[in-house]
Amino acid sequence: MIVLEKDCNFHSFSVVLVCINSIDGYIRLFSHTHMVGAGINDYGTIGVTSITHKPTSSDILDYGYQSSFSHSSEVAYPGYYSVVLRDYNIKVELTATEHVGVHRYTYNGNIEKYILFDISHALTPDACNKANITIDAKNNAVYGYILELGHMARRYGGYKSYFYAKFADGLSIANSSTWRNGQIFENTQFIEGCHSGASVEINGPNNVVEFYVGISSLSIDKAKQNLEAEIKVSKPGYQFDLVKSESVAIWEDVLSMVSVEGTDHDNLVKFYTALYRTHQSPTIFDEYGEYLGFDNMVHKLDKNGPKNYYSDMSIWDVHRTQFPWLVLSDPERMADIIKSLIIMYKEGGDLPKWPMANGYTGAMIGTHSIVLIADAYIKGVEDIDMDTAYKAMKQAATQKQQNAGRRDLVDWNKLGYIPWESSEKGACYTLAYSYDDGILANVAKKLGHMDDYELFTNTSKNYKNVFHPEEKFFCPKTREGKWECPPVWINVFDDRYTEGDAWHYRFNVGADPNGLIELFGSKQEFVKELETFCYRGEWYPFNILPNPYYWAGNEEDLLACWMFNFADRADLTQRYIRWLLDNKYTVNPDGIPGNDDYGTMSAWYIFGSLGFYPVAGTTQFIVGTPLFPKITVHRKAGDLTVISHNSGKDNFYVLKATINGKPIDMKSYAFIEWEDIKGEATLEFWMSNKATVY
């Protein structure tokens, strides 16, 4: 639940980049809830910082208390972060438990030490709807809540974030004040309303202030209970170093699930950074078995339910890479994620598209929870209530839903596509629903629902109805069949396409790639057009801004450069995937293309490094080119080991490959199946610096 980070001055895109890039900027404060690399602002609740003088009106107006900082003063690794607030010469150190943010501030000498709680702060400007804060000097505590209506949270009525902060043993609150709308109220202990907050002056035996901030989505009392369960606040002495060591150890266990042999420092940094980011989400949303459901009621997990209840799932993104990675590496956690989605369906009525906290956001297109659940089910993730899951999946595909349904089911069923009149993005909706139905058909067949299998197999081909036969691009089409193609194919801001352009959607048919190839007329023609797309993508200089051709930061493109294998040109997959690994993922501050989108891009890098890639929702993996001499994924089901003979920077072409000693047909079927790698398995490659004619 805790994602404790710095928040910078974020009102403009250029200043957002300052927060993560090499340019020094300003830190406003440190808040306790965050999205993980999403392309939209939300959360950022319970903001805290420190200054070294009694706060004035100019301090509390428009973050006047913010401080400049230098990236050179930052230290960050899993479980720990520190930075120096230059304007006050305060060293800030942060660590966390599951529900508690732990702060340690070290001051330069015997000076005034004020802790500010900006209870109205959220990452979406003016997102505060309600808030209050109380100073309890007797118990050395501060507590309160905010109801924030951020860009996503406002779609389901807002996210309520409670907190209870406690100062370490030996510290005391000397003076306090509150503020609202720029006015300070001295010696007060309570304030409510937005644009409000509180400050406390701290006395102590030295120049260090340590405090603990428990959070909850249920109540202030629950936030306090979470704090007391995870931090020994009654124990004499400070707890920061103990919590830090425990947090670092937890992350060390996560990162040790993969062992990598290799000497390229940058590649190792990129790989383990990607592994870290891939496991930052989704959010554990229960609090010792209690959680706020999609019906806004407090529930308790039963003994047959998940170990943890998860939320914050950017499903449009993560169903492609991150969740397939969890199926492969941590199926028990993936089972809990699926169970959480089923609980959301039971309590909210619909299978969500993009669940956040306790609500439906309805974000993005498609009903890709279908793919997410299918991917886990067909790969044998155990203990899933598939009767209920299938009911939810079928409902998402065939019925109008209040919160997360499909667009225009009438036209979908009548015409076989979503028409221009219903949405100018009708081609994108059609592609998304066709993909979902193709995956759902396989689930229906496996469960024995043969009528549904026939239904969804037929609707999965609907993508063909929006493929322009002469232009060879997917375009919107009216109900009367008139094409509404764009005047140019490379406008990344064309409203006909969701987060992309016509090129980005041209190869996006994950459930039926062979059918897509047929639309191009031949494998040779398909390869020619696909190579144009991937090759031209190499020449675009920016890593964050949209590339009109292959854009490594765009979800709709992630499968594209792997698709050469379907046209018997695995050598081109090897060439372009290695180029992307080397050039679009770097150790620079902007080293991830675009947004990480809850681990989506990072998981793509992991699969690229392993040398195979999932076709999400199927049992098929595309064979690529391994990055390291040896990688081992340690799993309860058995280690998966990838060995690369004669590997090297220029040796990215595959001479031959085997799976568990059996040769892989690198010409006609350069794929492996889940059955090959579900248990202990070895994938071996023999590498060359020249393309192989298979």
Side-chain angles (χ1 to χ4, degrees):
M1 182 170 281
I2 284 281
V3 184
L4 177 55
E5 297 179 11
K6 69 177 185 288
D7 293 344
C8 296
N9 188 327
F10 48 80
H11 280 306
S12 69
F13 182 70
S14 61
V15 180
V16 170
L17 298 183
V18 166
C19 198
I20 61 169
N21 221 314
S22 57
I23 306 169
D24 294 340
Y26 286 85
I27 291 175
R28 288 183 166 180
L29 39 60
F30 307 92
S31 64
H32 292 73
T33 60
H34 289 86
M35 304 180 92
V36 183
I40 191 169
N41 277 334
D42 212 314
Y43 285 139
T45 58
I46 319 302
V48 180
T49 191
S50 181
I51 60 177
T52 55
H53 61 264
K54 190 175 184 178
T56 65
S57 293
S58 62
D59 288 321
I60 61 175
L61 283 170
D62 197 25
Y63 301 97
Y65 54 71
Q66 70 182 4
S67 174
S68 62
F69 77 104
S70 171
H71 287 286
S72 64
S73 75
E74 290 182 295
V75 176
Y77 49 84
Y80 177 79
Y81 172 78
S82 73
V83 67
V84 173
L85 301 180
R86 286 197 300 203
D87 293 2
Y88 310 109
N89 200 12
I90 302 171
K91 180 180 180 181
V92 174
E93 297 175 275
L94 307 174
T95 189
T97 62
E98 191 61 58
H99 301 93
V100 182
V102 181
H103 300 243
R104 181 165 67 189
Y105 299 169
T106 302
Y107 300 80
N108 186 25
N110 187 23
I111 57 177
E112 294 178 313
K113 299 178 281 290
Y114 283 86
I115 307 299
L116 277 57
F117 294 84
D118 195 335
I119 189 58
S120 302
H121 172 76
L123 284 174
T124 303
D126 299 317
C128 176
N129 180 264
K130 296 178 182 179
N132 72 39
I133 191 165
T134 299
I135 301 167
D136 182 1
K138 179 180 178 181
N139 290 302
N140 220 21
V142 180
Y143 54 85
Y145 84 95
I146 176 177
L147 172 62
E148 67 98 3
L149 305 177
H151 288 304
M152 298 281 271
R154 67 181 62 154
R155 304 180 188 186
Y156 58 88
Y159 170 65
K160 189 173 282 189
S161 184
Y162 300 92
F163 83 99
Y164 187 93
K166 180 83 171 178
F167 289 92
D169 183 71
L171 302 177
S172 62
I173 297 175
N175 297 295
S176 65
S177 65
T178 59
W179 74 77
R180 184 174 58 221
N181 296 325
Q183 184 177 358
I184 295 177
F185 305 94
E186 299 288 353
N187 300 314
T188 54
Q189 289 76 46
F190 176 80
I191 196 77
E192 63 181 342
C194 294
H195 304 288
S196 64
S199 70
V200 292
E201 183 183 11
I202 302 299
N203 283 345
N206 52 42
N207 63 340
V208 176
V209 171
E210 186 172 303
F211 59 101
Y212 321 104
V213 182
I215 69 168
S216 172
S217 63
L218 304 178
S219 67
I220 291 172
D221 285 343
K222 190 64 176 179
K224 182 181 179 182
Q225 292 172 22
N226 292 341
L227 191 158
E228 292 174 343
E230 297 174 15
I231 304 293
K232 308 301 181 185
V233 292
S234 61
K235 182 179 179 180
Y238 293 172
Q239 304 298 307
F240 186 93
D241 289 330
L242 175 62
V243 174
K244 172 188 168 184
S245 64
E246 292 174 346
S247 181
V248 170
I250 290 170
W251 276 111
E252 184 63 33
D253 285 345
V254 172
L255 298 178
S256 65
M257 71 165 53
V258 183
S259 301
V260 179
E261 293 183 14
T263 58
D264 189 307
H265 175 267
D266 285 359
N267 284 343
L268 289 168
V269 168
K270 288 189 290 183
F271 183 88
Y272 279 105
T273 300
L275 187 60
Y276 163 67
R277 292 183 180 277
T278 301
H279 287 270
Q280 283 186 300
S281 63
T283 303
I284 293 177
F285 197 64
D286 73 280
E287 304 168 39
Y288 295 94
E290 292 186 304
Y291 65 93
L292 186 64
F294 273 43
D295 55 1
N296 286 313
M297 303 292 291
V298 177
H299 298 269
K300 290 186 177 181
L301 296 174
D302 62 44
K303 62 180 181 180
N304 297 319
K307 177 183 177 182
N308 290 114
Y309 175 78
Y310 288 89
S311 190
D312 298 347
M313 304 181 200
S314 185
I315 291 174
W316 186 76
D317 308 287
V318 298
H319 80 273
R320 307 165 199 267
T321 57
Q322 191 224 8
F323 281 3
W325 165 250
L326 293 180
V327 170
L328 175 71
S329 64
D330 195 355
E332 291 181 357
R333 184 182 176 200
M334 194 65 220
D336 278 358
I337 292 169
I338 302 300
K339 292 176 183 178
S340 299
L341 287 171
I342 294 172
I343 289 172
M344 293 172 190
Y345 162 72
K346 289 179 177 179
E347 295 170 358
D350 301 332
L351 198 61
K353 293 197 293 184
W354 208 122
M356 174 190 173
N358 60 297
Y360 296 97
T361 69
M364 301 308 295
I365 65 172
T367 45
H368 295 324
S369 290
I370 290 171
V371 181
L372 189 159
I373 296 172
D375 195 71
Y377 169 60
I378 64 174
K379 292 173 182 172
V381 173
E382 297 178 347
D383 200 21
I384 298 174
D385 177 5
M386 277 308 298
D387 289 339
T388 303
Y390 184 76
K391 181 181 178 181
M393 296 159 79
K394 183 177 179 180
Q395 176 181 307
T398 61
Q399 298 179 30
K400 185 177 180 179
Q401 297 191 134
Q402 179 179 355
N403 300 296
R406 290 189 174 181
R407 189 182 196 96
D408 196 353
L409 283 169
V410 173
D411 279 321
W412 173 255
N413 292 325
K414 180 180 179 181
L415 302 173
Y417 61 93
I418 303 299
W420 170 264
E421 294 90 339
S422 177
S423 172
E424 59 193 349
K425 302 182 190 299
C428 297
Y429 283 108
T430 301
L431 282 162
Y433 299 157
S434 298
Y435 174 36
D436 295 335
D437 285 2
I439 300 304
L440 185 53
N442 295 331
V443 175
K445 183 177 182 180
K446 187 175 177 68
L447 290 171
H449 303 303
M450 299 311 295
D451 288 345
D452 288 350
Y453 168 68
E454 182 177 353
L455 168 67
F456 294 125
T457 297
N458 290 334
T459 55
S460 73
K461 309 301 182 183
N462 282 352
Y463 72 90
K464 297 180 181 182
N465 297 330
V466 291
F467 188 81
H468 196 294
E470 285 79 36
E471 300 291 350
K472 307 296 185 186
F473 281 90
F474 291 104
C475 295
K477 191 164 64 171
T478 68
R479 290 189 177 99
E480 287 71 34
K482 178 186 175 184
W483 292 102
E484 294 289 348
C485 293
V488 295
W489 303 112
I490 57 171
N491 178 10
V492 295
F493 301 106
D494 192 314
D495 290 336
R496 293 169 179 81
Y497 301 95
T498 300
E499 292 192 7
D501 62 22
W503 274 98
H504 294 155
Y505 279 82
R506 197 179 186 193
F507 307 99
N508 187 36
V509 184
D512 188 23
N514 293 320
L516 175 64
I517 292 172
E518 290 177 3
L519 293 179
F520 280 85
S522 68
K523 289 182 178 180
Q524 292 76 17
E525 187 65 20
F526 176 80
V527 168
K528 185 186 78 171
E529 294 300 311
L530 180 57
E531 185 165 24
T532 297
F533 179 55
C534 296
Y535 179 75
R536 290 180 180 176
E538 293 183 353
W539 295 97
Y540 196 69
F542 302 108
N543 211 28
I544 293 179
L545 299 175
N547 186 328
Y549 293 101
Y550 181 90
W551 179 25
N554 183 28
E555 278 71 16
E556 298 296 345
D557 291 353
L558 296 183
L559 179 63
C561 291
W562 295 87
M563 292 188 71
F564 292 106
N565 285 37
F566 290 100
D568 303 335
R569 288 301 304 274
D571 60 306
L572 292 177
T573 294
Q574 297 154 23
R575 178 248 191 272
Y576 286 106
I577 297 305
R578 176 58 63 87
W579 187 91
L580 290 166
L581 290 172
D582 288 345
N583 293 277
K584 289 302 178 180
Y585 291 80
T586 73
V587 296
N588 299 325
D590 63 347
I592 294 177
N595 305 304
D596 198 25
D597 287 325
Y598 277 80
T600 300
M601 304 305 161
S602 290
W604 189 98
Y605 186 88
I606 290 173
F607 278 117
S609 300
L610 285 167
F612 60 88
Y613 187 81
V615 182
T618 78
T619 58
Q620 193 174 53
F621 295 83
I622 304 168
V623 174
T625 177
L627 184 61
F628 297 98
K630 185 177 181 180
I631 304 181
T632 303
V633 183
H634 305 289
R635 308 175 297 171
K636 288 185 177 179
D639 287 357
L640 169 61
T641 302
V642 179
I643 299 172
S644 174
H645 301 282
N646 195 33
S647 64
K649 183 174 180 58
D650 297 322
N651 291 7
F652 52 82
Y653 288 110
V654 177
L655 282 171
K656 64 176 182 177
T658 63
I659 179 66
N660 301 323
K662 298 180 297 182
I664 297 172
D665 182 353
M666 293 299 297
K667 176 174 174 55
S668 301
Y669 196 78
F671 301 89
I672 55 176
E673 294 290 331
W674 173 251
E675 191 69 24
D676 297 323
I677 61 172
K678 68 178 185 180
E680 185 173 352
T682 301
L683 176 60
E684 285 191 85
F685 294 88
W686 284 261
M687 310 303 297
S688 172
N689 62 357
K690 295 180 180 180
T692 302
V693 179
Y694 299 112

